[in-house]
Amino acid sequence: MVRLNRALFIGRVTRAFTSAAAAAAAATATSIAMTSDPVSFPPTAAPFSGVLRVVPSGGEAASNSLLPPMPPLPQVPQQQQQQPQQQPQQMMTMLPADILSAFEPNPLTFDPPGNHGATAAGAGAGVGAGAAGGIASMVMPGQEQMMGALGGTLMPSTVSAVGGDTPTGYYVTMAAAAAAEVPSLEDHTEAFSNLKVDLAELDFGNDDEDFIDHDEGNLNNTSQSGGKPASIQGGGADNDALTEDLTHSCEGSQTSQLSLSSEHAQLLAMVRSALDLVVTFRAERREGGANGNQSTCDDAELHHALGRILYKHFSGNSSLEDGGVSFTTDRDKKKNVHVDVGSSDDALDDDIEASSRRKGRRTTVGCTAKSNDDRSGYAPLLDFGYPIRLSTLVDCLVKSRSSPNDNVCFFASTEDVEEELREMLEKPGRYLYDAAEAVYCDGQLRFAKDKLYGRSEEVATLMSAYDRVIHSKKEKRGIALINGYAGSGKSSLVDQILPRLQSDRASFVYCKFDIQGQEQPMSSFFRALDGYCQNLFDGDPTLLAEIRGAINYALGPSVSLLKGQVPSLGAVLGRESPVLQAAETTDALNHISYSLRLFVRAISGPTHPLVFLLDDLQYADKKSVDAINLLLKDTDTTSLLFIGCYREESVSIDHPLTEGLGDIAMTAEMPMSSITLSNLDKQSVNDMVSESLNMSRRLTRPLADAVHAKTRGNPMFVRELMASLYADGLIRYAATVRRWEWDIIAIREKDVADEVVDLLVGRMKGYGPEIELVLQVVACLGTSCDPNALCLCFTDEDRNSTSVDSCLMRLMADGLINKVGVMYRFGHDLIWQAAYALLTSSSKQQSMHLHVGRQLLKNGSEEERNQMMSIIADQLNRGVDLIDDDAERLLLTRMNLQVGRKELASMSFLPASLYLLQGTILVHDEDWKDHYQMCLQLFTSCAEVQLALGNSGETVTLATQVLTLGRSLQDKLGAYYALIKAKLLQGDVDESVKIGLSVLGQLGECFPTRVDEAKIGKELMETEHLLESSSLETISKTDAATDADRVATMRFLLLTSRIAYTINPGLNLLMNLRMVQTTMAGGLTPESSFAFSSCAFALCSIDHHDLAAFCAKVSISLLGRFNQKYAHITIPTLILSILAYRQPLQALVEEFRKAYKNAMAVGDVDWAIVSIGQVTNVSIFAPERGRNLGHVQDEFLHNLQELSMYNHMLFSLYVSPIKEALSNLRYVESSSHVSATSAGVENPPTVCFTADQNHMVSVCASKNLKNSLRKVYCNRMWLAYLYRRYDLAAEFATKNQKFAAGNPIYAPIETIMETLYLGLVAFAVLRERVRLGDSSFDGGEKWTKISTDVINKISRWNEEDSSWNFQNKIDLLNAEQAFTDGDYPRALEKYESSIGNAGKHGFINELALACERLGLFHQSIGNTIEAQMHLMLSKQHYRTWGATRKADDVHHLIQSM
């Protein structure tokens, strides 16, 4: 590149134009015009070649000119031409003002061949009128004003730059010159030839205001240039910017999208006219055939005739038109075919044939261009300034008869000609405009980035899935799965929806999984969310504010843990969020999972939809697949579209994705769109090759067929093979004719790798050892790497011999590596595989990883080593088998411990697990003696992490190792804690309790193996004495415990008591009381608040309500201590204690909902399940106003889906009884069940229990889960009573009481309902004994005692706690007692009182029951009308409650009367 400053450039141009002015003598112009051959450039005169066309000043072409004139094109009106021309920005290269001032400005217009009489307005205005002759010269692009002053006209040059340089020169025909002012210059033709200036060879720079700006400019601004075509408006194009502008015009199907210059409009008009000629030609041939005059001449002669017609159309050969001589071939003579193409056609045929003979060679393209030294006289349209694509079309038609051996480039039919002309009109920016040719015909092999070929149906399917979720809102969430081989264009297909996102205010999250990501679960997922947050922060401030508010509202303090995984989330929130810690480290993963779901809910919605691209799902780890499933099943998430790309051949039957896709397919609420990308067909490959070479599909078809045969149509394989052929010289760009050529025979015979990876490997090896080494190192660092880390991987010697930056620049230029932000990333995972495959064996891979790790450790500073510690440890771990030095092994062990504990501190359990597990593998037995603390911390931390990840087996193994080799109880406590929870996770509840009791015994707290009332009474008396001797203020101000054993004791008491509740409620009560005693004796701990709330819960179960109320107050006073660590379990326990008796039950529902959210927020699934079970139970037995069982069922199913992923033991225990109750009360699926009222079903509904529910009872019995069995039989007793199956109700009541004996701890809601229905069943049994005889029901005294105890207990609750909750219940029991005793007036009074109080206090379920019992009472004493009336009311109330199945039961009861 030659760099010229202003002075040098002015000097050169001044000298050039001084010589040009001297050459304006009339004799010189005439002699040049009469030259028999066109003037051509000497081979040594300039680095390009072409034809100089000289036109006399008279305006008409010389009669002996070999180049026929062009028909006149529509001209810009003269009035317009005389307007001052506004110079477009960055479009024209102007001469310095001091040169331009020497000439008077005079606008010019494009003077096409054959229209030389239409010279520019004002031509010669600045010169003498007597000027004669014509002068040929060259001119710098953009110098229209200068040439106008000389009376000249610009013509596009046919010169093409050698070696791919952009053609930028233009010829000038001088219509007039000031002969009196310039001397003659007859002998300076060669000097004129050398005046052609190529701005591509000039670099004026941009660091000085005097330097000349020669930027090409933008096609869309040509309308401002006074109608000058792009080819005249500048040289030295900025190809990248121009390509972007042209790409827009190329893709548009309507030429109206372009702001066209007048010359472009004229050219388009000419092409449209040519298309009309072709259509007419085809029609006439068909019409001639219909009239019996159709010729049977071969296609070559027809195409030749059509070519001559088009050649005449574009070249404007008027002499041919006037002559009207018919041209008839020998075959035409035989068939009577007459084609009128002009009188000079035979001569033209001779020129064409002579031109073809003189070539002396056969080009592999098969489309022969006119050589530089061709003197035959035939001039292609290219010589007239027409675009190469148009020139080639006409050239091939004209030569179709004279070059039979070159049939590759010829047309198969005239339909192909029509198609190619239409393509030019559809994409004029690519095929017709000179500026486009400057970009697309520069000798560089280009493939349109992310351009799709042959995928229209797949794009439509994807767009449909997008519209269903984002626009039509038919689906809240959606997933589209795209399956295809590597390189089939899956990611490019997804890119088709990206332009739609901005208009829809939609956000895009790109999550790319890779092979290494499988070893670091969830890392890709969180990295994608971090990128989303960064883009959000840098983007639209309005959207940022909107989503920031949504995140704060949805997550609240729960966002604190998520920020550790998504660092950029802190920038989005803009402030420090309140910290909400997980209750236990083992619960943190649940915490993160829940927070992730809330986060996605917040960032997606109707006003800001979210599209989540999951690329390369075949590499996704199980945790990521589970997270995706969780988000897809979240019914509270809306306007969320997941697009997953994967390779089906890489997904085996046991792959996590297989199970995940199965779960998604079974979700009816969330339909799945499936798209399969197969290989491209031949036509699509030809489209791809055609556009890359900027040639017609007709010309590239043989090449495309050969490429398709070797690649099977895989798009990426096609691109790589084309690049390989280009590198090998089998595809080359012929600069002289501005056209691509190829050796089709050699291409067909070339051996090509079967897979694209092998082809890439071969390509990479061709770079040489330096670049190959860089590729290997980058591949070892992963699919992406940090530039600083990459630099440290090389030794000083390597850095001296190899420029890493230059290697990376070369790789980026070739598209193998991209720079995304500050990171280097491979362009495709197949490219990474190929680069990694350069290390041809496992040992070489390990050796390189070890080398990289050692280099990072050696070359990095202390700060750099700390920052890259995880990278260093990862690299050394991958080469660990080659480490044979003990010191290096111990160093790596400590590095794994350091990195693992750092990840654990930020709750990044998945990467922490990798490093800690690797560290345990490196430990030898003797290390426990010599490096005890390192081994203890490593194994304990690893056990903790494995437990958090749910890997119970690994947890047990690691914990057992610590318990075996640990030196003290304090050293072992962490392992014991993990072991207890691991056994619980495995379902071994008994073993968990045994281990807990063992640890407590070692800490000095012993408990009996069997708990009876005497032991409970003793423990209760001790606790009551401590509480009575202390005040609320004294306990609240107690100091925190400092003794390590005391602190550990409280922690293990809390853990073991929660587990014991399910199998031994008595033991749970003892532990709750002991926690209070330990707190008051040894000081406060984080567990103290929960200790007092659980004590209140236990005391309520044994009817010590006043003492329970005191404990509740103490618990609330302590809740603020220790950062409310256990608030999520303390508060619901308080609700389940005294509040359930003294507050309206309906008010508890919302409190339990809050308790559920709090438990999920800290990841405590146990209490989340307990809380949501209480939400459903209370909603059933104390319905909220305005909500029925239908709403309860919907909420229950929603929460069921939310909790189902955790696979927790308590889940089934709490879910099964609720499912059983709802299935008996209402038709679960109304579409498949019709009420008896409307359908007239003969058999009434009755109580029923499914096989699954019976199986759950067996499971509870086998595991001795006493409280669970107590709840199951309480539930069944209630349902059997509702359906008047008193025999079953009595059986279930007996079983319920069996499990209640010795197990006093029971939830208040269940206790209240159990007590009520136990009394109702007792009265029903007593009446049935009288009706059926004593033999039918045993134990009359037992049922009498039960009924009496129930009435006394509920009466006490009604008097001491809350009449709101218990008045209607005691009224109903009293009515049943009076009915049983035969006191009918009192019974009637109490029934009506129960009905009134139930309605007043909002117990719609008990209102329906009281009406039903009153109706049955009237039926038994013979008042049928009263019975029917109250039963009708009962049915109505049951329906209002939502118990549709039970309402049908009452309906049948009425019908039976």
Side-chain angles (χ1 to χ4, degrees):
M1 180 71 70
V2 180
R3 185 175 181 81
L4 301 180
N5 59 29
R6 181 171 180 265
L8 178 59
F9 177 71
I10 292 175
R12 289 186 179 182
V13 175
T14 303
R15 288 194 301 272
F17 279 94
T18 301
S19 299
T28 301
T30 304
S31 63
I32 295 178
M34 296 295 291
T35 303
S36 59
D37 284 337
V39 179
S40 61
F41 286 77
T44 59
F48 37 72
S49 59
V51 176
L52 175 64
R53 185 161 189 264
V54 184
V55 181
S57 60
E60 293 293 331
S63 58
N64 60 348
S65 174
L66 297 178
L67 302 181
M70 189 180 206
L73 297 180
Q75 294 295 308
V76 180
Q78 191 169 7
Q79 183 178 1
Q80 286 187 1
Q81 296 179 15
Q82 294 173 353
Q83 296 298 323
Q85 301 299 315
Q86 181 179 358
Q87 303 301 329
Q89 295 182 357
Q90 297 183 350
M91 289 292 290
M92 299 180 63
T93 303
M94 300 301 300
L95 285 175
D98 52 355
I99 290 186
L100 292 180
S101 62
F103 305 99
E104 177 128 6
N106 198 359
L108 299 176
T109 60
F110 174 58
D111 187 17
N115 191 34
H116 307 298
T119 58
V127 296
I135 298 180
S137 180
M138 300 296 176
V139 63
M140 293 290 298
Q143 304 310 313
E144 293 89 344
Q145 292 176 331
M146 179 181 298
M147 303 320 302
L150 298 177
T153 302
L154 286 176
M155 292 182 59
S157 167
T158 62
V159 178
S160 56
V162 176
D165 288 337
T166 305
T168 56
Y170 298 91
Y171 292 106
V172 179
T173 58
M174 309 302 294
E181 300 181 42
V182 293
S184 173
L185 222 170
E186 297 180 1
D187 301 325
H188 288 75
T189 301
E190 182 175 305
F192 280 102
S193 300
N194 291 328
L195 276 177
K196 178 144 181 358
V197 181
D198 191 343
L199 285 187
E201 296 298 319
L202 302 181
D203 181 10
F204 300 100
N206 54 11
D207 55 348
D208 190 319
E209 63 181 359
D210 291 334
F211 288 168
I212 297 174
D213 180 11
H214 57 273
D215 191 24
E216 179 78 28
N218 190 322
L219 278 179
N220 290 333
N221 292 330
T222 55
S223 61
Q224 302 176 8
S225 65
K228 295 178 178 61
S231 60
I232 300 178
Q233 292 170 15
D238 182 347
N239 285 351
D240 292 336
L242 185 56
T243 301
E244 181 179 354
D245 297 330
L246 290 176
T247 300
H248 171 72
S249 65
C250 291
E251 301 307 322
S253 60
Q254 300 296 329
T255 58
S256 62
Q257 292 177 348
L258 293 170
S259 179
L260 298 176
S261 66
S262 60
E263 285 75 12
H264 290 166
Q266 294 170 20
L267 181 59
L268 288 176
M270 291 293 291
V271 176
R272 290 192 188 99
S273 300
L275 178 62
D276 293 339
L277 286 174
V278 174
V279 172
T280 302
F281 181 84
R282 290 180 55 206
E284 289 178 351
R285 304 303 291 181
R286 287 195 299 269
E287 182 179 352
N291 295 330
N293 298 324
Q294 177 63 42
S295 166
T296 60
C297 66
D298 57 24
D299 289 339
E301 294 186 353
L302 288 177
H303 294 166
H304 176 73
L306 178 60
R308 293 206 315 247
I309 293 173
L310 293 180
Y311 185 83
K312 179 179 65 177
H313 169 71
F314 286 109
S315 66
N317 194 329
S318 57
S319 61
L320 296 181
E321 293 179 9
D322 296 338
V325 179
S326 63
F327 174 79
T328 308
T329 65
D330 295 337
R331 188 168 300 189
D332 289 336
K333 293 176 182 178
K334 296 179 181 179
K335 298 300 180 182
N336 241 348
V337 178
H338 179 82
V339 183
D340 186 4
V341 296
S343 59
S344 301
D345 287 351
D346 289 335
L348 180 62
D349 290 341
D350 294 339
D351 289 337
I352 294 171
E353 292 174 4
S355 172
S356 299
R357 285 194 301 269
R358 276 192 296 272
K359 289 192 175 296
R361 65 181 180 88
R362 173 174 172 265
T363 63
T364 56
V365 168
C367 184
T368 308
K370 186 176 183 290
S371 61
N372 294 336
D373 58 350
D374 195 344
R375 299 294 184 267
S376 67
Y378 169 74
L381 294 182
L382 187 65
D383 291 354
F384 295 91
Y386 282 105
I388 187 171
R389 182 75 178 267
L390 188 61
S391 175
T392 303
L393 180 146
V394 175
D395 199 37
C396 292
L397 285 173
V398 169
K399 296 181 179 180
S400 58
R401 187 183 63 177
S402 59
S403 303
N405 293 329
D406 294 336
N407 56 6
V408 175
C409 75
F410 297 145
F411 291 95
S413 65
T414 53
E415 286 86 345
D416 290 344
V417 181
E418 181 180 343
E419 178 185 353
E420 192 164 329
L421 287 172
R422 292 189 187 278
E423 185 179 12
M424 294 180 198
L425 292 173
E426 290 172 358
K427 300 179 181 180
R430 173 180 284 271
Y431 299 124
L432 293 182
Y433 301 154
D434 292 336
E437 290 190 32
V439 174
Y440 292 111
C441 299
D442 63 351
Q444 298 299 316
L445 185 63
R446 287 186 177 87
F447 286 95
K449 186 177 181 181
D450 297 328
K451 176 70 179 292
L452 284 180
Y453 300 88
R455 305 296 193 200
S456 56
E457 293 183 5
E458 291 83 355
V459 171
T461 303
L462 183 60
M463 288 297 184
S464 176
Y466 176 84
D467 290 334
R468 285 198 305 271
V469 175
I470 307 302
H471 289 155
S472 67
K473 306 298 189 295
K474 292 181 180 179
E475 301 167 8
K476 292 183 178 180
R477 302 167 312 287
I479 182 169
L481 293 175
I482 306 173
N483 166 38
Y485 291 104
S488 58
K490 299 182 289 295
S491 300
S492 298
L493 177 63
V494 177
D495 289 342
Q496 303 307 302
I497 68 171
L498 296 184
R500 305 273 297 275
L501 298 183
Q502 186 173 4
S503 60
D504 297 329
R505 293 189 84 233
S507 300
F508 186 75
V509 180
Y510 177 66
C511 177
K512 182 175 179 60
F513 297 96
D514 54 51
I515 295 177
Q516 293 183 327
Q518 292 177 313
E519 302 171 4
Q520 296 183 348
M522 290 291 287
S523 58
S524 299
F525 205 84
F526 286 124
R527 189 163 54 245
L529 291 177
D530 190 62
Y532 161 80
C533 289
Q534 187 60 54
N535 293 334
L536 179 66
F537 182 75
D538 296 336
D540 181 8
T542 304
L543 183 61
L544 172 62
E546 182 179 340
I547 293 183
R548 175 185 293 151
I551 294 173
N552 285 324
Y553 176 79
L555 275 80
S558 300
V559 76
S560 55
L561 258 181
L562 193 60
K563 286 167 64 176
Q565 316 301 317
V566 186
S568 298
L569 181 56
V572 170
L573 297 178
R575 59 179 176 81
E576 285 296 326
S577 304
V579 177
L580 182 64
Q581 296 179 347
E584 300 285 349
T585 303
T586 52
D587 296 326
L589 194 62
N590 295 332
H591 176 130
I592 295 172
S593 175
Y594 181 71
S595 300
L596 174 64
R597 185 169 44 193
L598 295 181
F599 177 70
V600 174
R601 287 181 193 172
I603 64 177
S604 62
T607 60
H608 44 84
L610 186 67
V611 177
F612 221 120
L613 171 59
L614 307 167
D615 202 3
D616 287 327
L617 265 173
Q618 71 276 2
Y619 299 137
D621 57 277
K622 187 178 188 307
K623 294 293 182 182
S624 296
V625 174
D626 290 342
I628 296 166
N629 257 329
L630 176 68
L631 295 175
L632 286 170
K633 293 178 180 178
D634 184 13
T635 56
D636 290 335
T637 301
T638 60
S639 303
L640 173 65
L641 175 64
F642 274 96
I643 303 176
C645 302
Y646 70 102
R647 304 174 198 164
E648 190 173 27
E649 71 275 10
S650 301
V651 179
S652 59
I653 191 66
D654 57 347
H655 193 282
L657 187 61
T658 303
E659 181 180 355
L661 294 179
D663 291 344
I664 295 171
M666 294 174 63
T667 305
E669 295 181 0
M670 219 263 316
M672 180 170 59
S673 301
S674 296
I675 301 172
T676 299
L677 295 184
S678 57
N679 287 333
L680 300 179
D681 56 19
K682 289 184 178 181
Q683 180 178 348
S684 300
V685 171
N686 193 23
D687 292 340
M688 190 174 180
V689 174
S690 169
E691 289 203 11
S692 68
L693 301 181
N694 198 43
M695 298 177 68
S696 70
R697 290 186 291 268
R698 167 183 57 86
L699 295 176
T700 59
R701 187 173 293 116
L703 173 62
D705 289 347
V707 170
H708 183 274
K710 294 182 179 297
T711 63
R712 300 177 296 279
N714 181 281
M716 184 176 182
F717 206 166
V718 170
R719 287 193 294 270
E720 291 302 322
L721 178 58
M722 289 286 289
S724 175
L725 296 175
Y726 176 69
D728 293 344
L730 298 180
I731 297 176
R732 56 188 175 274
Y733 182 71
T736 56
V737 291
R738 289 186 288 173
R739 189 179 308 150
W740 289 88
E741 298 178 347
W742 53 86
D743 189 338
I744 191 65
I745 297 177
I747 291 173
R748 288 169 179 165
E749 294 177 351
K750 180 179 175 62
D751 291 331
V752 177
D754 293 333
E755 299 295 337
V756 68
V757 171
D758 299 328
L759 187 65
L760 284 166
V761 169
R763 178 181 172 188
M764 292 175 181
K765 289 181 178 179
Y767 283 121
E770 293 84 4
I771 295 183
E772 188 175 345
L773 175 62
V774 171
L775 280 168
Q776 292 172 357
V777 173
V778 176
C780 284
L781 290 171
T783 55
S784 62
C785 72
D786 182 88
N788 295 330
L790 180 60
C791 184
L792 292 175
C793 291
F794 291 90
T795 64
D796 294 336
E797 183 180 351
D798 290 335
R799 284 195 290 268
N800 291 333
S801 62
T802 302
S803 172
V804 177
D805 290 339
S806 63
C807 292
L808 290 171
M809 292 295 292
R810 172 71 182 278
L811 294 172
M812 286 191 291
D814 290 351
L816 297 181
I817 289 179
N818 301 321
K819 194 166 187 180
V820 182
V822 298
M823 303 290 286
Y824 290 111
R825 173 179 285 275
F826 282 100
H828 194 279
D829 67 302
L830 290 183
I831 300 176
W832 174 83
Q833 290 182 35
Y836 199 62
L838 293 173
L839 301 166
T840 55
S841 65
S842 176
S843 60
K844 289 184 179 180
Q845 293 170 357
Q846 292 182 31
S847 177
M848 180 59 76
H849 282 297
L850 185 60
H851 172 74
V852 168
R854 286 171 173 169
Q855 287 298 111
L856 292 173
L857 197 59
K858 173 185 175 183
N859 298 330
S861 64
E862 183 177 355
E863 181 181 357
E864 289 172 329
R865 287 197 299 268
N866 289 332
Q867 290 177 349
M868 294 186 291
M869 185 65 72
S870 59
I871 299 176
I872 298 172
D874 178 64
Q875 292 298 313
L876 294 177
N877 286 334
R878 294 175 186 274
V880 69
D881 292 343
L882 302 180
I883 295 178
D884 52 9
D885 180 62
D886 240 18
E888 188 174 17
R889 176 184 61 82
L890 287 172
L891 174 62
L892 180 55
T893 304
R894 293 186 185 279
M895 290 177 62
N896 279 306
L897 175 60
Q898 181 180 343
V899 175
R901 296 191 73 177
K902 180 181 177 181
E903 298 288 355
L904 179 59
S906 64
M907 298 302 173
S908 301
F909 299 104
L910 300 162
S913 172
L914 297 175
Y915 294 106
L916 293 173
L917 276 176
Q918 182 62 40
T920 60
I921 295 173
L922 292 172
V923 170
H924 294 173
D925 290 341
E926 59 269 18
D927 294 334
W928 279 94
K929 298 178 182 179
D930 301 331
H931 307 280
Y932 174 75
Q933 285 299 323
M934 179 191 74
C935 297
L936 177 66
Q937 293 175 15
L938 186 59
F939 277 79
T940 302
S941 299
C942 193
E944 186 179 355
V945 170
Q946 294 308 309
L947 181 62
L949 295 174
N951 301 324
S952 57
E954 290 86 345
T955 304
V956 171
T957 302
L958 293 164
T960 302
Q961 182 85 337
V962 175
L963 296 178
T964 303
L965 300 174
R967 295 175 180 176
S968 67
L969 177 61
Q970 281 294 331
D971 289 345
K972 298 177 183 180
L973 288 177
Y976 271 127
Y977 197 89
L979 183 61
I980 291 171
K981 300 204 78 171
K983 289 294 183 182
L984 180 64
L985 193 62
Q986 292 175 343
D988 196 345
V989 183
D990 285 329
E991 184 64 21
S992 295
V993 174
K994 288 178 181 178
I995 297 173
L997 292 174
S998 172
V999 176
L1000 288 169
Q1002 296 179 63
L1003 289 169
E1005 297 291 341
C1006 299
F1007 292 90
T1009 54
R1010 293 179 61 86
V1011 179
D1012 53 28
E1013 293 183 4
K1015 293 182 176 67
I1016 292 175
K1018 179 183 176 182
E1019 214 57 60
L1020 183 60
M1021 288 180 62
E1022 291 180 11
T1023 306
E1024 287 178 344
H1025 176 72
L1026 286 172
L1027 293 173
E1028 289 171 357
S1029 62
S1030 301
S1031 65
L1032 176 61
E1033 184 179 1
T1034 302
I1035 299 173
S1036 301
K1037 293 182 179 180
T1038 302
D1039 293 334
T1042 57
D1043 182 70
D1045 286 348
R1046 290 279 185 179
V1047 175
T1049 297
M1050 288 293 289
R1051 190 180 184 211
F1052 277 90
L1053 278 171
L1054 173 59
L1055 174 63
T1056 310
S1057 67
R1058 290 178 61 179
I1059 301 172
Y1061 176 77
T1062 59
I1063 61 171
N1064 195 339
L1067 180 60
N1068 171 269
L1069 175 57
L1070 289 181
M1071 289 185 170
N1072 290 339
L1073 297 173
R1074 191 73 60 85
M1075 277 195 290
V1076 172
Q1077 297 170 18
T1078 303
T1079 294
M1080 298 185 70
L1084 299 177
T1085 67
E1087 294 80 12
S1088 296
S1089 178
F1090 176 73
F1092 280 95
S1093 68
S1094 61
C1095 186
F1097 173 78
L1099 291 171
C1100 282
S1101 300
I1102 57 178
D1103 271 355
H1104 286 60
H1105 288 190
D1106 290 337
L1107 191 57
F1110 178 77
C1111 288
K1113 293 178 182 179
V1114 174
S1115 176
I1116 293 172
S1117 70
L1118 297 177
L1119 199 56
R1121 303 281 291 269
F1122 305 102
N1123 200 24
Q1124 300 187 0
K1125 181 175 182 180
Y1126 292 103
H1128 71 285
I1129 58 176
T1130 301
I1131 294 174
T1133 306
L1134 290 171
I1135 300 170
L1136 286 169
S1137 59
I1138 193 63
L1139 295 180
Y1141 291 94
R1142 298 187 174 179
Q1143 295 292 326
L1145 288 174
Q1146 293 90 339
L1148 302 182
V1149 179
E1150 189 60 32
E1151 295 301 322
F1152 279 121
R1153 290 194 183 104
K1154 294 177 182 177
Y1156 166 73
K1157 292 181 180 178
N1158 290 336
M1160 290 298 295
V1162 297
D1164 194 333
V1165 180
D1166 294 5
W1167 273 97
I1169 293 172
V1170 170
S1171 299
I1172 210 61
Q1174 291 302 319
V1175 167
T1176 309
N1177 284 334
V1178 177
S1179 297
I1180 291 174
F1181 295 115
E1184 295 175 283
R1185 193 175 299 276
R1187 287 172 59 88
N1188 58 32
L1189 288 180
H1191 301 110
V1192 175
Q1193 179 178 297
D1194 291 341
E1195 182 179 14
F1196 170 71
L1197 293 176
H1198 173 270
N1199 294 325
L1200 186 70
Q1201 187 178 52
E1202 195 167 64
L1203 289 168
S1204 60
M1205 65 162 291
Y1206 296 104
N1207 195 26
H1208 198 280
M1209 181 192 69
L1210 288 177
F1211 182 72
S1212 298
L1213 299 181
Y1214 274 81
V1215 163
S1216 183
I1218 296 172
K1219 281 185 173 180
E1220 191 173 72
L1222 290 173
S1223 63
N1224 276 279
L1225 289 174
R1226 58 183 279 106
Y1227 299 119
V1228 178
E1229 297 183 10
S1230 58
S1231 61
S1232 59
H1233 297 277
V1234 182
S1235 69
T1237 305
S1238 60
V1241 179
E1242 296 182 0
N1243 298 322
T1246 186
V1247 66
C1248 60
F1249 309 110
T1250 65
D1252 289 341
Q1253 292 158 351
N1254 290 330
H1255 173 71
M1256 182 54 60
V1257 174
S1258 302
V1259 172
C1260 292
S1262 65
K1263 295 186 177 183
N1264 194 29
L1265 303 179
K1266 297 177 181 178
N1267 257 353
S1268 297
L1269 291 169
R1270 179 180 178 180
K1271 179 174 177 58
V1272 168
Y1273 289 120
C1274 173
N1275 217 49
R1276 292 189 170 188
M1277 172 186 68
W1278 159 57
L1279 293 171
Y1281 177 80
L1282 280 184
Y1283 283 95
R1284 301 176 303 283
R1285 288 293 307 275
Y1286 305 124
D1287 54 338
L1288 287 176
E1291 177 186 343
F1292 295 141
T1294 302
K1295 292 181 178 180
N1296 168 265
Q1297 289 301 291
K1298 171 186 174 184
F1299 291 106
N1303 296 287
I1305 307 301
Y1306 202 47
I1309 306 299
E1310 284 87 345
T1311 299
I1312 294 170
M1313 302 318 301
E1314 178 185 81
T1315 305
L1316 171 63
Y1317 282 95
L1318 189 63
L1320 293 174
V1321 169
F1323 287 122
V1325 168
L1326 291 173
R1327 285 197 301 273
E1328 288 295 298
R1329 280 173 56 84
V1330 174
R1331 187 175 70 85
L1332 301 175
D1334 293 346
S1335 59
S1336 300
F1337 291 90
D1338 296 333
E1341 294 181 0
K1342 178 186 76 172
W1343 295 110
T1344 300
K1345 184 179 184 305
I1346 289 175
S1347 63
T1348 302
D1349 291 343
V1350 166
I1351 287 181
N1352 291 336
K1353 183 179 288 189
I1354 294 183
S1355 295
R1356 186 171 64 253
W1357 293 344
N1358 185 54
E1359 295 171 3
E1360 297 178 0
D1361 295 318
S1362 171
S1363 60
W1364 177 284
N1365 291 333
F1366 301 109
Q1367 186 62 62
N1368 71 295
K1369 296 175 179 61
I1370 193 62
D1371 286 341
L1372 182 59
L1373 287 168
N1374 286 331
E1376 287 289 301
Q1377 183 183 39
F1379 182 18
T1380 303
D1381 294 342
D1383 188 353
Y1384 296 157
R1386 186 171 184 274
L1388 182 59
E1389 176 191 352
K1390 292 299 180 180
Y1391 277 130
E1392 291 177 348
S1393 177
S1394 178
I1395 291 172
N1397 285 318
K1400 182 169 61 174
H1401 296 155
F1403 293 97
I1404 185 69
N1405 54 321
E1406 292 171 2
L1407 172 62
L1409 176 62
C1411 288
E1412 181 183 2
R1413 301 315 298 182
L1414 180 55
L1416 293 173
F1417 166 75
H1418 280 295
Q1419 183 188 29
S1420 67
I1421 62 176
N1423 295 335
T1424 305
I1425 295 177
E1426 292 289 332
Q1428 289 180 334
M1429 181 186 69
H1430 285 94
L1431 288 174
M1432 288 290 290
L1433 288 173
S1434 173
K1435 184 181 76 171
Q1436 179 181 345
H1437 293 319
Y1438 277 127
R1439 288 204 174 279
T1440 303
W1441 182 33
T1444 52
R1445 194 168 182 272
K1446 173 59 186 172
D1448 283 354
D1449 168 63
V1450 177
H1451 174 77
H1452 277 280
L1453 183 59
I1454 296 171
Q1455 295 295 323
S1456 65
M1457 291 183 181

